[in-house]
Amino acid sequence: MDNEVIEFDIGLGGGSGREGDDYSIGMVHHSIEDEEMVDSPPLSSLGGGAGSGEIYLPEGDLLDLEPYEGMEFESEEAAKAFYNSYARRVGFSTRVSSSRRSRRDGAIIQRQFVCAKEGFRNMNEKRTKDREIKRPRTITRVGCKASLSVKMHDSGKWVVSGFVREHNHELVPPDQVHCLRSHRQISGPAKTLIDTLQAAGMGPRRIMSALIKEYGGISKVGFTEVDCRNYMRNNRQRSLEGDIQLLLDYLRQMHSENPNFFYAVQGEEDQCVGNVFWADPKARMNYTYFGDTVTFDTTYRSNRYRLPFAPFTGVNHHGQPVLFGCAFLINESEASFNWLFRTWLLAMSGRPPVSITTDHDAIIQSAITQVFPETRHRFCKWHIFKKCQEMLSHVFLKHPSFEADFHKCVNLTDSIEEFESCWLSLVDRYDLRDHEWLQTIYSARRQWVPVYLRDTFFAEMSITQRSDSMNSYFDGYVNASTNLSQFFKLYEKALESRNEKEVKADYDTMNTSPVLKTPSPMEKQVSELYTRKLFSRFQEELVGTLTFMASKADDDGEIITYQVAKFGEDHKAHYVKFNVLEMRASCSCQMFEFSGLLCGHILAVFRVTNVLTLPSYYILKRWTRNAKSNVMLDDHVNDIYNNYLESHTVRYNTLRHEAFKFIEEGAKTVDTYNVAKDALQEAAKRVAHTTRNDGKNYTINGRIKMDPGNDRSYTYHSSSRNHDEILSKNMSEDDLDKKINELTNELECANRKCDVYRSNLFSMLKDIEDHKLQLSIKVQNIKISMKDSI
């Protein structure tokens, strides 16, 4: 039979793999890395008979479409497309195996196309020896011999010189062939539809649903959701590379206007292909005040958004989100995140935060471990809840009660033991013990379940409710359709809006007084220290103490343990350990450690132990109205303002603590009772005598002496000469006691004057600081009104 030339339409494979190519993607790879790229998971699960010696052949009418020796093609590409189209109909994937070049001009004159399962993986390659492979790929090569060889003849035609049709593995059925690598192709119309839907703000999952509906089934779409994601990511990166110069020009301009504006580019700035980071002076200053806890928001990395934008944010003294810098994530490798975090730390003067919250991502986690080894890393619980709705959608549909049970298990358990028990009960009740994703997040539970994180400060007002600060700083400004040319105006608008909200909160705090709900001196004290938002939150806890009962559970002499619970709810009790002498308390709920605000349980114990004002230890400067002040007013003013009440409270609690121990011992027998009663009567006389003499007592050799009089005619000048003169005189013991007492009284009087002067000084400084803040607010209001008028 004469050889016939087959004019083959190279578009039969279902569309081009990439723009400008006339054949399927994955057909021209020669490197070891590309040859070992595995097919998608559905393929790997279908190779049950691989290497077993069985032969698998095409069936039925497919025999009429097979290549044969002597078949001619107009070009190498036409031969390649024909074999790939044949492979699609039969049920296997193809790749280029080898080629031969002409010695005369180096042109390719022979090609061999093989089944993707040809050969075996070389496990002794140098690249596997020199570096650790973190995520090894599935082995897919099983030594299949199926292949097609073509040679170029002198006529310019490509002729089939060899064809092996037998496979040693099962072939893929038609409804799954679209999962094979060489047949996963995004056609031109599909690309256009993806671009349109992405610009409208749709993510890969919703886009794939639209494509499946449009084409009438997943097998007719011709590619998978992974391919869609990759296309969207590459499309976004190509778009950014074209516009990235706009970003660099903007950053250079901002730096020229203010040298404290920080920006950095990974790699060469002239050829920017890496990440970009910047932080304005206000962001860097905010970090000095509120940099104890940080959120790295990677919401905008998803393919739903056109900008791979990631801000560093925190929480200010009003509980509002505050910016610490921004990044564009052009490259998302571990090395790039390492660079980003180190650069951010450099911009923030090298001071790492106490805690950081990010999305659940292995690459980010690894980079944080290396750059912030001492920082507590938390995965965002709300992102995990959102992912849970996606990964367990079938459970949500089948069991409407699952969501409430899941939230209760995570948010409402009070101890690690209770959470572990509740989790096991949950996965057993809904038959999820073997669910892979659920097992993954359970293994990471110490980084997102609240009960494991309460010992670390995260500046959240509540453990069970989402804080406003966890919402993105740029919500309402940057959205899925925002492009780079629009970004700068929206970025500056977001900054202005956030700044205006902070100024308004400062104004409300400084110029209005909250309504007090109790006669407690503690409530009045805190109302003058905290910002309005924080005081409101504290007031809720304080008023809530009226529903708590605190009873002593244990007393070891130094620490008293109280059981605190609502009436009739002892099974929900929390335990507060209170050191009377140091005025320190800690609660099992760990709210103070987690949020920096005292819980109602500790406040209930303070109420029953007559602690009238909040000890300064429990007032964090970052929550006060003076949080951004350079003058440390709060400690000194608070100590002076509450000096009497605090000292009285300490004395009261110390005496009561000692008295209880004295009573317990004294009541054991009649003899100890009589001794104790006599001692109390003697102590009562001495206290009454001291009260009548206005507390003028002194101690000589460990014995208490009463002030013999109130004669203050003798004046002592503290010079060395007078001191020697006094010592040289032969004085009686009573005269010496009298002079010591007079000198003590004069010293106390001087100390009281110093306290008054100090109080006046700090009061003046406080007035200056308040006036400065009010002027700043007025300036900001004028700026805003001027911008509005323009």
Side-chain angles (χ1 to χ4, degrees), residues 40-163:
S40 60
L43 174 64
S44 64
S45 65
L46 297 171
S52 63
E54 298 181 51
I55 296 176
Y56 296 84
L57 297 173
E59 299 176 357
D61 296 338
L62 294 177
L63 297 172
D64 298 333
L65 301 174
E66 285 183 348
Y68 54 86
E69 291 190 22
M71 181 182 289
E72 293 184 355
F73 299 92
E74 285 295 327
S75 65
E76 173 198 349
E77 286 77 17
K80 183 188 303 178
F82 173 80
Y83 189 58
N84 194 55
S85 180
Y86 164 76
R88 182 182 181 92
R89 293 191 297 272
V90 172
F92 67 96
S93 183
T94 65
R95 59 182 172 83
V96 175
S97 175
S98 62
S99 60
R100 182 181 173 189
R101 294 182 180 272
S102 170
R103 294 182 179 178
R104 185 172 62 245
D105 58 9
I108 295 174
I109 58 175
Q110 184 175 338
R111 281 284 196 192
Q112 184 182 31
F113 311 113
V114 299
C115 173
K117 290 181 176 288
E118 179 268 347
F120 297 94
R121 179 177 296 182
N122 184 358
M123 302 304 294
N124 296 318
E125 294 172 1
K126 184 178 186 299
R127 68 187 183 92
T128 61
K129 290 182 179 180
D130 295 346
R131 63 183 177 87
E132 178 187 358
I133 298 178
K134 294 183 177 179
R135 289 178 290 180
R137 292 171 174 163
T138 306
I139 294 176
T140 60
R141 297 193 183 190
V142 295
C144 183
K145 301 296 184 183
S147 65
L148 176 74
S149 299
V150 293
K151 288 183 178 180
M152 188 175 72
H153 282 195
D154 293 339
S155 64
K157 300 289 191 297
W158 287 77
V159 181
V160 175
S161 60
F163 172 59

Side-chain angles (χ1 to χ4, degrees), residues 34-275:
D34 289 333
E35 287 182 8
E36 289 197 350
M37 292 181 71
V38 300
D39 293 323
S40 60
L43 174 64
S44 64
S45 65
L46 297 171
S52 63
E54 298 181 51
I55 296 176
Y56 296 84
L57 297 173
E59 299 176 357
D61 296 338
L62 294 177
L63 297 172
D64 298 333
L65 301 174
E66 285 183 348
Y68 54 86
E69 291 190 22
M71 181 182 289
E72 293 184 355
F73 299 92
E74 285 295 327
S75 65
E76 173 198 349
E77 286 77 17
K80 183 188 303 178
F82 173 80
Y83 189 58
N84 194 55
S85 180
Y86 164 76
R88 182 182 181 92
R89 293 191 297 272
V90 172
F92 67 96
S93 183
T94 65
R95 59 182 172 83
V96 175
S97 175
S98 62
S99 60
R100 182 181 173 189
R101 294 182 180 272
S102 170
R103 294 182 179 178
R104 185 172 62 245
D105 58 9
I108 295 174
I109 58 175
Q110 184 175 338
R111 281 284 196 192
Q112 184 182 31
F113 311 113
V114 299
C115 173
K117 290 181 176 288
E118 179 268 347
F120 297 94
R121 179 177 296 182
N122 184 358
M123 302 304 294
N124 296 318
E125 294 172 1
K126 184 178 186 299
R127 68 187 183 92
T128 61
K129 290 182 179 180
D130 295 346
R131 63 183 177 87
E132 178 187 358
I133 298 178
K134 294 183 177 179
R135 289 178 290 180
R137 292 171 174 163
T138 306
I139 294 176
T140 60
R141 297 193 183 190
V142 295
C144 183
K145 301 296 184 183
S147 65
L148 176 74
S149 299
V150 293
K151 288 183 178 180
M152 188 175 72
H153 282 195
D154 293 339
S155 64
K157 300 289 191 297
W158 287 77
V159 181
V160 175
S161 60
F163 172 59
V164 179
R165 63 192 282 260
E166 297 85 4
H167 296 261
N168 69 342
H169 56 88
E170 291 184 5
L171 300 175
V172 177
D175 62 340
Q176 295 176 350
V177 74
H178 66 280
C179 296
L180 298 175
R181 178 173 294 279
S182 69
H183 308 309
R184 282 157 40 189
Q185 304 156 359
I186 304 179
S187 65
K191 289 180 180 179
T192 302
L193 184 56
I194 291 173
D195 293 343
T196 302
L197 296 178
Q198 184 181 13
M202 290 179 64
R205 186 176 295 275
R206 292 178 62 193
I207 290 177
M208 278 302 295
S209 297
L211 287 167
I212 292 169
K213 186 176 181 180
E214 176 73 17
Y215 284 88
I218 182 65
S219 62
K220 295 180 181 179
V221 172
F223 53 90
T224 66
E225 185 178 326
V226 173
D227 300 314
C228 182
R229 288 180 184 276
N230 291 339
Y231 172 77
M232 292 173 68
R233 184 184 64 245
N234 294 336
N235 193 32
R236 181 174 65 175
Q237 187 163 337
R238 282 193 300 270
S239 174
L240 277 175
E241 287 172 356
D243 295 338
I244 201 67
Q245 194 60 42
L246 291 173
L247 173 63
L248 294 179
D249 291 343
Y250 174 82
L251 298 180
R252 292 190 190 105
Q253 178 187 345
M254 299 302 291
H255 179 71
S256 66
E257 293 175 1
N258 190 332
N260 289 325
F261 186 96
F262 181 100
Y263 82 96
V265 180
Q266 187 179 13
E268 296 295 330
E269 188 171 330
D270 296 337
Q271 301 173 343
C272 177
V273 292
N275 294 329

Side-chain angles (χ1 to χ4, degrees), residues 73 98 115 391 411 474 771:
F73 299 92
S98 62
C115 173
M391 302 301 293
N411 288 325
F474 293 94
H771 185 62

